[in-house]
Amino acid sequence: MKSENYILSIEDNTTDIALMARIFEKRIPDYAIKHISDGETAIDFIESNDFKKQSPKLILLDIKVPKLDGLEVLRHFRKHKEFKAIPVVMMSSSDLNDDKEKAYLLGANSFMVKPKTFLELCETLPALINNWII
């Protein structure tokens, strides 16, 4: 992983993880992607010295991850004022207004419904990276 240029993905769907890794390798080679598959592990990583030494350029956070959901991870993450500049894009397979409102109230920078096809994901991920990483 390129230490200074990585995106943190908190996602438990193995198909989505594999597709994202493939897209990053082929279409977004300047950034590595690190995957964490549950909320507890994500919080442990956020609290780690590794994260503090080299934080990601962007966090892609699924709402429905095991152990602690994405909203709880977001709540915990946003308590750290030193990470305020790191954008967090919440991702969900649904577009429930309640989820969107909670995410924005907790400090999400954006809310995105997960693309339904690989082609949509191929278009969306590079655009997302270009939009949030300056």
mmCIF file of all heavy atoms in Angstrom, residues 42-75:
data_model
loop_
_atom_site.group_PDB
_atom_site.id
_atom_site.type_symbol
_atom_site.label_atom_id
_atom_site.label_comp_id
_atom_site.label_asym_id
_atom_site.label_seq_id
_atom_site.Cartn_x
_atom_site.Cartn_y
_atom_site.Cartn_z
ATOM 1 N N ALA A 42 -12.843 -1.411 12.878
ATOM 2 C CA ALA A 42 -12.660 -0.051 12.349
ATOM 3 C C ALA A 42 -12.319 0.923 13.470
ATOM 4 O O ALA A 42 -11.391 1.731 13.345
ATOM 5 C CB ALA A 42 -13.910 0.408 11.607
ATOM 6 N N ILE A 43 -13.034 0.849 14.579
ATOM 7 C CA ILE A 43 -12.758 1.749 15.708
ATOM 8 C C ILE A 43 -11.378 1.460 16.291
ATOM 9 O O ILE A 43 -10.631 2.394 16.605
ATOM 10 C CB ILE A 43 -13.876 1.663 16.764
ATOM 11 C CG1 ILE A 43 -15.112 2.385 16.215
ATOM 12 C CG2 ILE A 43 -13.430 2.282 18.085
ATOM 13 C CD1 ILE A 43 -16.330 2.304 17.094
ATOM 14 N N ASP A 44 -11.027 0.179 16.403
ATOM 15 C CA ASP A 44 -9.683 -0.164 16.891
ATOM 16 C C ASP A 44 -8.614 0.448 15.989
ATOM 17 O O ASP A 44 -7.612 0.976 16.466
ATOM 18 C CB ASP A 44 -9.490 -1.684 16.962
ATOM 19 C CG ASP A 44 -10.272 -2.324 18.102
ATOM 20 O OD1 ASP A 44 -10.729 -1.589 19.014
ATOM 21 O OD2 ASP A 44 -10.435 -3.559 18.066
ATOM 22 N N PHE A 45 -8.821 0.374 14.673
ATOM 23 C CA PHE A 45 -7.846 0.935 13.737
ATOM 24 C C PHE A 45 -7.772 2.454 13.864
ATOM 25 O O PHE A 45 -6.689 3.039 13.877
ATOM 26 C CB PHE A 45 -8.191 0.528 12.296
ATOM 27 C CG PHE A 45 -7.217 1.068 11.285
ATOM 28 C CD1 PHE A 45 -5.884 0.701 11.317
ATOM 29 C CD2 PHE A 45 -7.636 1.944 10.305
ATOM 30 C CE1 PHE A 45 -4.977 1.195 10.391
ATOM 31 C CE2 PHE A 45 -6.742 2.459 9.371
ATOM 32 C CZ PHE A 45 -5.408 2.082 9.409
ATOM 33 N N ILE A 46 -8.930 3.101 13.991
ATOM 34 C CA ILE A 46 -8.972 4.566 14.146
ATOM 35 C C ILE A 46 -8.220 4.999 15.400
ATOM 36 O O ILE A 46 -7.584 6.050 15.422
ATOM 37 C CB ILE A 46 -10.436 5.060 14.167
ATOM 38 C CG1 ILE A 46 -11.048 4.913 12.772
ATOM 39 C CG2 ILE A 46 -10.533 6.495 14.665
ATOM 40 C CD1 ILE A 46 -12.563 5.012 12.752
ATOM 41 N N GLU A 47 -8.260 4.184 16.427
ATOM 42 C CA GLU A 47 -7.575 4.490 17.679
ATOM 43 C C GLU A 47 -6.080 4.133 17.642
ATOM 44 O O GLU A 47 -5.340 4.488 18.549
ATOM 45 C CB GLU A 47 -8.235 3.734 18.838
ATOM 46 C CG GLU A 47 -9.647 4.173 19.125
ATOM 47 C CD GLU A 47 -9.727 5.583 19.669
ATOM 48 O OE1 GLU A 47 -8.782 6.041 20.339
ATOM 49 O OE2 GLU A 47 -10.741 6.242 19.398
ATOM 50 N N SER A 48 -5.655 3.449 16.603
ATOM 51 C CA SER A 48 -4.272 2.960 16.554
ATOM 52 C C SER A 48 -3.269 4.057 16.199
ATOM 53 O O SER A 48 -3.617 5.070 15.603
ATOM 54 C CB SER A 48 -4.154 1.823 15.533
ATOM 55 O OG SER A 48 -4.187 2.347 14.216
ATOM 56 N N ASN A 49 -2.022 3.802 16.559
ATOM 57 C CA ASN A 49 -0.938 4.713 16.187
ATOM 58 C C ASN A 49 -0.730 4.740 14.679
ATOM 59 O O ASN A 49 -0.374 5.780 14.126
ATOM 60 C CB ASN A 49 0.363 4.325 16.898
ATOM 61 C CG ASN A 49 0.326 4.721 18.358
ATOM 62 O OD1 ASN A 49 -0.334 5.679 18.730
ATOM 63 N ND2 ASN A 49 1.035 3.964 19.174
ATOM 64 N N ASP A 50 -0.956 3.612 14.005
ATOM 65 C CA ASP A 50 -0.815 3.565 12.550
ATOM 66 C C ASP A 50 -1.750 4.568 11.885
ATOM 67 O O ASP A 50 -1.368 5.278 10.966
ATOM 68 C CB ASP A 50 -1.103 2.163 12.002
ATOM 69 C CG ASP A 50 -0.001 1.174 12.335
ATOM 70 O OD1 ASP A 50 1.124 1.611 12.665
ATOM 71 O OD2 ASP A 50 -0.262 -0.038 12.259
ATOM 72 N N PHE A 51 -2.988 4.620 12.361
ATOM 73 C CA PHE A 51 -3.961 5.561 11.793
ATOM 74 C C PHE A 51 -3.539 7.000 12.083
ATOM 75 O O PHE A 51 -3.615 7.854 11.222
ATOM 76 C CB PHE A 51 -5.357 5.291 12.363
ATOM 77 C CG PHE A 51 -6.436 6.096 11.693
ATOM 78 C CD1 PHE A 51 -7.089 5.593 10.584
ATOM 79 C CD2 PHE A 51 -6.799 7.345 12.171
ATOM 80 C CE1 PHE A 51 -8.096 6.328 9.953
ATOM 81 C CE2 PHE A 51 -7.790 8.090 11.555
ATOM 82 C CZ PHE A 51 -8.443 7.570 10.442
ATOM 83 N N LYS A 52 -3.088 7.227 13.307
ATOM 84 C CA LYS A 52 -2.690 8.586 13.687
ATOM 85 C C LYS A 52 -1.454 9.052 12.911
ATOM 86 O O LYS A 52 -1.341 10.219 12.562
ATOM 87 C CB LYS A 52 -2.473 8.666 15.181
ATOM 88 C CG LYS A 52 -3.784 8.549 15.943
ATOM 89 C CD LYS A 52 -3.608 8.542 17.432
ATOM 90 C CE LYS A 52 -4.962 8.513 18.088
ATOM 91 N NZ LYS A 52 -5.199 7.392 18.925
ATOM 92 N N LYS A 53 -0.543 8.126 12.624
ATOM 93 C CA LYS A 53 0.661 8.476 11.868
ATOM 94 C C LYS A 53 0.352 8.743 10.401
ATOM 95 O O LYS A 53 0.941 9.614 9.790
ATOM 96 C CB LYS A 53 1.689 7.342 11.952
ATOM 97 C CG LYS A 53 2.389 7.257 13.270
ATOM 98 C CD LYS A 53 3.365 6.093 13.247
ATOM 99 C CE LYS A 53 3.928 5.848 14.626
ATOM 100 N NZ LYS A 53 4.717 4.607 14.683
ATOM 101 N N GLN A 54 -0.551 7.946 9.836
ATOM 102 C CA GLN A 54 -0.887 8.090 8.421
ATOM 103 C C GLN A 54 -2.371 7.806 8.219
ATOM 104 O O GLN A 54 -2.783 6.676 8.052
ATOM 105 C CB GLN A 54 -0.055 7.132 7.570
ATOM 106 C CG GLN A 54 -0.240 7.353 6.090
ATOM 107 C CD GLN A 54 0.121 8.776 5.673
ATOM 108 O OE1 GLN A 54 1.208 9.248 5.931
ATOM 109 N NE2 GLN A 54 -0.810 9.466 5.049
ATOM 110 N N SER A 55 -3.148 8.860 8.262
ATOM 111 C CA SER A 55 -4.587 8.701 8.111
ATOM 112 C C SER A 55 -4.966 8.658 6.631
ATOM 113 O O SER A 55 -4.225 9.132 5.778
ATOM 114 C CB SER A 55 -5.319 9.826 8.844
ATOM 115 O OG SER A 55 -4.867 11.075 8.393
ATOM 116 N N PRO A 56 -6.123 8.094 6.339
ATOM 117 C CA PRO A 56 -6.541 7.985 4.941
ATOM 118 C C PRO A 56 -6.946 9.340 4.365
ATOM 119 O O PRO A 56 -7.233 10.275 5.103
ATOM 120 C CB PRO A 56 -7.745 7.044 5.013
ATOM 121 C CG PRO A 56 -8.292 7.249 6.381
ATOM 122 C CD PRO A 56 -7.107 7.522 7.255
ATOM 123 N N LYS A 57 -6.983 9.394 3.058
ATOM 124 C CA LYS A 57 -7.421 10.615 2.362
ATOM 125 C C LYS A 57 -8.937 10.703 2.325
ATOM 126 O O LYS A 57 -9.492 11.789 2.165
ATOM 127 C CB LYS A 57 -6.887 10.635 0.925
ATOM 128 C CG LYS A 57 -5.384 10.578 0.829
ATOM 129 C CD LYS A 57 -4.765 11.824 1.382
ATOM 130 C CE LYS A 57 -3.250 11.786 1.198
ATOM 131 N NZ LYS A 57 -2.590 12.893 1.846
ATOM 132 N N LEU A 58 -9.619 9.550 2.483
ATOM 133 C CA LEU A 58 -11.075 9.459 2.403
ATOM 134 C C LEU A 58 -11.508 8.179 3.089
ATOM 135 O O LEU A 58 -10.782 7.183 3.051
ATOM 136 C CB LEU A 58 -11.499 9.422 0.918
ATOM 137 C CG LEU A 58 -12.957 9.161 0.585
ATOM 138 C CD1 LEU A 58 -13.830 10.363 0.978
ATOM 139 C CD2 LEU A 58 -13.109 8.874 -0.911
ATOM 140 N N ILE A 59 -12.697 8.218 3.705
ATOM 141 C CA ILE A 59 -13.272 7.005 4.296
ATOM 142 C C ILE A 59 -14.597 6.725 3.594
ATOM 143 O O ILE A 59 -15.461 7.599 3.510
ATOM 144 C CB ILE A 59 -13.497 7.162 5.812
ATOM 145 C CG1 ILE A 59 -12.155 7.365 6.518
ATOM 146 C CG2 ILE A 59 -14.235 5.937 6.376
ATOM 147 C CD1 ILE A 59 -12.271 7.650 8.012
ATOM 148 N N LEU A 60 -14.723 5.495 3.083
ATOM 149 C CA LEU A 60 -15.977 5.007 2.512
ATOM 150 C C LEU A 60 -16.577 4.077 3.561
ATOM 151 O O LEU A 60 -15.987 3.049 3.889
ATOM 152 C CB LEU A 60 -15.718 4.243 1.212
ATOM 153 C CG LEU A 60 -14.980 5.015 0.126
ATOM 154 C CD1 LEU A 60 -14.659 4.100 -1.056
ATOM 155 C CD2 LEU A 60 -15.795 6.214 -0.323
ATOM 156 N N LEU A 61 -17.721 4.451 4.106
ATOM 157 C CA LEU A 61 -18.268 3.766 5.279
ATOM 158 C C LEU A 61 -19.665 3.230 5.008
ATOM 159 O O LEU A 61 -20.608 4.002 4.813
ATOM 160 C CB LEU A 61 -18.278 4.747 6.461
ATOM 161 C CG LEU A 61 -18.830 4.295 7.799
ATOM 162 C CD1 LEU A 61 -18.187 3.003 8.283
ATOM 163 C CD2 LEU A 61 -18.645 5.404 8.833
ATOM 164 N N ASP A 62 -19.780 1.914 4.976
ATOM 165 C CA ASP A 62 -21.073 1.259 4.799
ATOM 166 C C ASP A 62 -21.878 1.404 6.091
ATOM 167 O O ASP A 62 -21.313 1.286 7.182
ATOM 168 C CB ASP A 62 -20.855 -0.214 4.461
ATOM 169 C CG ASP A 62 -22.136 -0.950 4.099
ATOM 170 O OD1 ASP A 62 -23.180 -0.308 3.888
ATOM 171 O OD2 ASP A 62 -22.084 -2.193 4.037
ATOM 172 N N ILE A 63 -23.161 1.649 5.965
ATOM 173 C CA ILE A 63 -23.996 1.788 7.169
ATOM 174 C C ILE A 63 -24.173 0.443 7.863
ATOM 175 O O ILE A 63 -24.132 0.367 9.083
ATOM 176 C CB ILE A 63 -25.363 2.410 6.820
ATOM 177 C CG1 ILE A 63 -25.179 3.894 6.576
ATOM 178 C CG2 ILE A 63 -26.377 2.176 7.925
ATOM 179 C CD1 ILE A 63 -26.457 4.661 6.352
ATOM 180 N N LYS A 64 -24.348 -0.606 7.101
ATOM 181 C CA LYS A 64 -24.667 -1.908 7.688
ATOM 182 C C LYS A 64 -23.440 -2.813 7.704
ATOM 183 O O LYS A 64 -23.266 -3.663 6.842
ATOM 184 C CB LYS A 64 -25.813 -2.549 6.915
ATOM 185 C CG LYS A 64 -27.097 -1.766 7.072
ATOM 186 C CD LYS A 64 -28.233 -2.388 6.315
ATOM 187 C CE LYS A 64 -29.500 -1.619 6.635
ATOM 188 N NZ LYS A 64 -30.113 -1.001 5.508
ATOM 189 N N VAL A 65 -22.594 -2.612 8.705
ATOM 190 C CA VAL A 65 -21.464 -3.506 8.940
ATOM 191 C C VAL A 65 -21.673 -4.196 10.281
ATOM 192 O O VAL A 65 -22.362 -3.668 11.154
ATOM 193 C CB VAL A 65 -20.100 -2.757 8.907
ATOM 194 C CG1 VAL A 65 -19.742 -2.336 7.499
ATOM 195 C CG2 VAL A 65 -20.069 -1.580 9.840
ATOM 196 N N PRO A 66 -21.105 -5.391 10.463
ATOM 197 C CA PRO A 66 -21.310 -6.132 11.714
ATOM 198 C C PRO A 66 -20.631 -5.492 12.928
ATOM 199 O O PRO A 66 -19.759 -4.643 12.802
ATOM 200 C CB PRO A 66 -20.690 -7.500 11.431
ATOM 201 C CG PRO A 66 -20.248 -7.516 10.028
ATOM 202 C CD PRO A 66 -20.348 -6.139 9.479
ATOM 203 N N LYS A 67 -21.056 -5.973 14.080
ATOM 204 C CA LYS A 67 -20.545 -5.635 15.417
ATOM 205 C C LYS A 67 -20.960 -4.231 15.846
ATOM 206 O O LYS A 67 -21.626 -4.099 16.849
ATOM 207 C CB LYS A 67 -19.045 -5.864 15.534
ATOM 208 C CG LYS A 67 -18.672 -7.326 15.312
ATOM 209 C CD LYS A 67 -17.225 -7.571 15.565
ATOM 210 C CE LYS A 67 -16.907 -9.031 15.269
ATOM 211 N NZ LYS A 67 -15.499 -9.320 15.416
ATOM 212 N N LEU A 68 -20.547 -3.193 15.157
ATOM 213 C CA LEU A 68 -21.039 -1.826 15.366
ATOM 214 C C LEU A 68 -21.377 -1.281 13.993
ATOM 215 O O LEU A 68 -20.550 -1.368 13.084
ATOM 216 C CB LEU A 68 -19.971 -0.937 16.014
ATOM 217 C CG LEU A 68 -19.659 -1.170 17.473
ATOM 218 C CD1 LEU A 68 -18.487 -0.286 17.902
ATOM 219 C CD2 LEU A 68 -20.861 -0.867 18.341
ATOM 220 N N ASP A 69 -22.567 -0.720 13.830
ATOM 221 C CA ASP A 69 -22.927 -0.246 12.495
ATOM 222 C C ASP A 69 -22.140 1.003 12.109
ATOM 223 O O ASP A 69 -21.449 1.609 12.926
ATOM 224 C CB ASP A 69 -24.434 -0.038 12.359
ATOM 225 C CG ASP A 69 -24.984 1.145 13.139
ATOM 226 O OD1 ASP A 69 -24.223 2.079 13.489
ATOM 227 O OD2 ASP A 69 -26.200 1.165 13.394
ATOM 228 N N GLY A 70 -22.234 1.358 10.851
ATOM 229 C CA GLY A 70 -21.475 2.480 10.320
ATOM 230 C C GLY A 70 -21.780 3.799 10.996
ATOM 231 O O GLY A 70 -20.899 4.656 11.136
ATOM 232 N N LEU A 71 -23.024 3.982 11.428
ATOM 233 C CA LEU A 71 -23.374 5.231 12.117
ATOM 234 C C LEU A 71 -22.643 5.345 13.450
ATOM 235 O O LEU A 71 -22.195 6.427 13.828
ATOM 236 C CB LEU A 71 -24.890 5.342 12.299
ATOM 237 C CG LEU A 71 -25.686 5.461 10.996
ATOM 238 C CD1 LEU A 71 -27.179 5.336 11.271
ATOM 239 C CD2 LEU A 71 -25.369 6.764 10.273
ATOM 240 N N GLU A 72 -22.494 4.231 14.159
ATOM 241 C CA GLU A 72 -21.740 4.243 15.420
ATOM 242 C C GLU A 72 -20.263 4.503 15.161
ATOM 243 O O GLU A 72 -19.608 5.222 15.915
ATOM 244 C CB GLU A 72 -21.930 2.924 16.178
ATOM 245 C CG GLU A 72 -23.272 2.807 16.855
ATOM 246 C CD GLU A 72 -23.502 3.896 17.881
ATOM 247 O OE1 GLU A 72 -22.603 4.208 18.686
ATOM 248 O OE2 GLU A 72 -24.609 4.471 17.872
ATOM 249 N N VAL A 73 -19.735 3.917 14.098
ATOM 250 C CA VAL A 73 -18.334 4.163 13.742
ATOM 251 C C VAL A 73 -18.153 5.650 13.417
ATOM 252 O O VAL A 73 -17.203 6.284 13.876
ATOM 253 C CB VAL A 73 -17.896 3.284 12.549
ATOM 254 C CG1 VAL A 73 -16.501 3.672 12.070
ATOM 255 C CG2 VAL A 73 -17.940 1.808 12.934
ATOM 256 N N LEU A 74 -19.075 6.211 12.654
ATOM 257 C CA LEU A 74 -19.008 7.629 12.302
ATOM 258 C C LEU A 74 -19.074 8.504 13.546
ATOM 259 O O LEU A 74 -18.292 9.446 13.699
ATOM 260 C CB LEU A 74 -20.146 7.986 11.339
ATOM 261 C CG LEU A 74 -20.234 9.440 10.908
ATOM 262 C CD1 LEU A 74 -18.985 9.894 10.168
ATOM 263 C CD2 LEU A 74 -21.479 9.652 10.050
ATOM 264 N N ARG A 75 -19.979 8.193 14.448
ATOM 265 C CA ARG A 75 -20.105 8.951 15.702
ATOM 266 C C ARG A 75 -18.781 8.944 16.467
ATOM 267 O O ARG A 75 -18.299 9.980 16.917
ATOM 268 C CB ARG A 75 -21.209 8.361 16.573
ATOM 269 C CG ARG A 75 -21.319 9.026 17.951
ATOM 270 C CD ARG A 75 -22.465 8.464 18.733
ATOM 271 N NE ARG A 75 -23.644 8.783 17.935
ATOM 272 C CZ ARG A 75 -24.743 8.038 17.852
ATOM 273 N NH1 ARG A 75 -24.856 6.953 18.507
ATOM 274 N NH2 ARG A 75 -25.741 8.386 17.113
#
